[in-house]
Amino acid sequence: RRGPGEAGGLVGSYLQSAQLMGRRVAEMHAAFASETIDPGLVPEPFTPHYQRSVYQSMRNLSGRAMQLLRGSLDRLGPRERADAEEVLGSERELLDRFAAITRAPLAAMRIRCHGDLHLGQMLFTGRDFMIIAFGGEPARSLSDRRVKRSPLRDVAGLLRSFHYATFTALLDQSARGLVEPDSDAARELELWGRAWNDAVSSAFLGAYLEASGRGPWIPESRADLNVLLDTSLLEKAVYEL
């Protein structure tokens, strides 16, 4: 019997789809980064002041999310409440990870980016992907949507969307009564789902970085790349919360 570690070989043609999406997102960012005239679009470097402002924005977002979560505890079931309390207990660690963006200069450019990129914005034509809906995250103000950022926030949006797709399928199995929650079958399906998510996410990210090459929006060091991607993924998760 095959195990979840072999899921990459069983994802099939979706791995190629994920790689194609990675290339198209990189090409979109290359187009955004090529502007040299319009000051609203010209790429700008990271600065210590900007890095501190990003961190403060992440702190404010986290504070609002945690306050909302605390106020919701009494309305949650036992399992959800346990998860919520674990998240609340990790607030200090969350802020520490956000603070990584302020600890050293970042050698990369920030640009105007899509701002609300997920699988629902990737229109499949049958052969290729077209990216649509450039209005940015609807819950953010117009001025906030215009701020130049690391385009790795777009990358994080799609990585989170793959995760959504995984667990939507798993929850659907439970909702239709095909798998009992908390059963051995449910736990095995979750392992398969996580393996699918890992394989697809790796294919997408690898193709994106390869197509981006030495684009000025990609940090020069792997450490800086990890910081920007990690904080972007965390910010996206907290925004969803």
Side-chain angles (χ1 to χ4, degrees):
R1 194 171 82 175
R2 294 178 176 180
E6 301 174 64
L10 301 178
V11 176
S13 62
Y14 200 78
L15 281 180
Q16 286 73 50
S17 294
Q19 291 168 338
L20 182 56
M21 281 188 272
R23 291 194 292 273
R24 294 296 176 258
V25 173
E27 289 164 2
M28 175 185 70
H29 290 157
F32 287 159
S34 67
E35 177 62 56
T36 59
I37 298 175
D38 187 335
L41 299 175
V42 172
E44 297 179 13
F46 278 81
T47 64
H49 174 75
Y50 174 75
Q51 289 170 237
R52 288 193 298 271
S53 70
V54 169
Y55 171 61
Q56 190 58 52
S57 174
M58 291 173 174
R59 280 184 60 95
N60 293 342
L61 177 67
S62 299
R64 293 193 300 272
M66 296 301 173
Q67 183 178 12
L68 179 64
L69 191 57
R70 288 189 186 93
S72 302
L73 287 177
D74 291 341
R75 300 195 298 273
L76 299 178
R79 182 175 179 178
E80 291 76 18
R81 179 167 182 144
D83 288 341
E85 289 174 343
E86 183 177 359
V87 171
L88 291 169
S90 302
E91 185 174 6
R92 183 69 262 168
E93 179 186 355
L94 176 67
L95 294 178
D96 285 345
R97 288 175 67 178
F98 279 145
I101 202 168
T102 67
R103 289 177 185 146
L106 293 171
M109 303 298 285
R110 52 193 180 94
I111 62 175
R112 290 283 291 276
C113 48
H114 185 285
D116 189 29
L117 195 59
H118 53 75
L119 288 171
Q121 318 287 36
M122 304 293 295
L123 181 65
F124 186 53
T125 68
R127 292 187 175 184
D128 208 339
F129 287 95
M130 297 180 66
I131 302 172
I132 63 173
F134 286 81
E137 290 176 338
R140 296 183 184 272
S141 68
L142 184 59
S143 61
D144 190 40
R145 295 184 225 178
R146 290 171 57 87
V147 171
K148 296 168 187 173
R149 307 177 190 275
S150 168
L152 290 174
R153 296 175 84 252
D154 285 345
V155 173
L158 267 172
L159 291 174
R160 291 290 304 135
S161 200
F162 291 136
H163 192 258
Y164 273 170
T166 303
F167 279 86
T168 296
L170 294 175
L171 291 171
D172 181 63
Q173 293 288 305
S174 178
R176 292 193 289 157
L178 300 176
V179 177
E180 288 293 324
D182 297 321
S183 64
D184 288 343
R187 283 187 283 272
E188 183 172 3
L189 271 179
E190 183 172 342
L191 288 175
W192 277 103
R194 290 183 184 278
W196 182 94
N197 180 66
D198 288 347
V200 170
S201 297
S202 295
F204 166 77
L205 184 59
Y208 173 82
L209 292 174
E210 182 179 6
S212 296
R214 299 184 64 84
W217 66 93
I218 298 295
E220 294 178 2
S221 76
R222 179 52 63 96
D224 287 351
L225 176 65
N226 289 342
V227 165
L228 283 174
L229 187 55
D230 185 52
T231 53
S232 295
L233 282 165
L234 282 171
E235 183 185 26
K236 186 67 176 174
V238 172
Y239 176 81
E240 292 159 6
L241 177 63

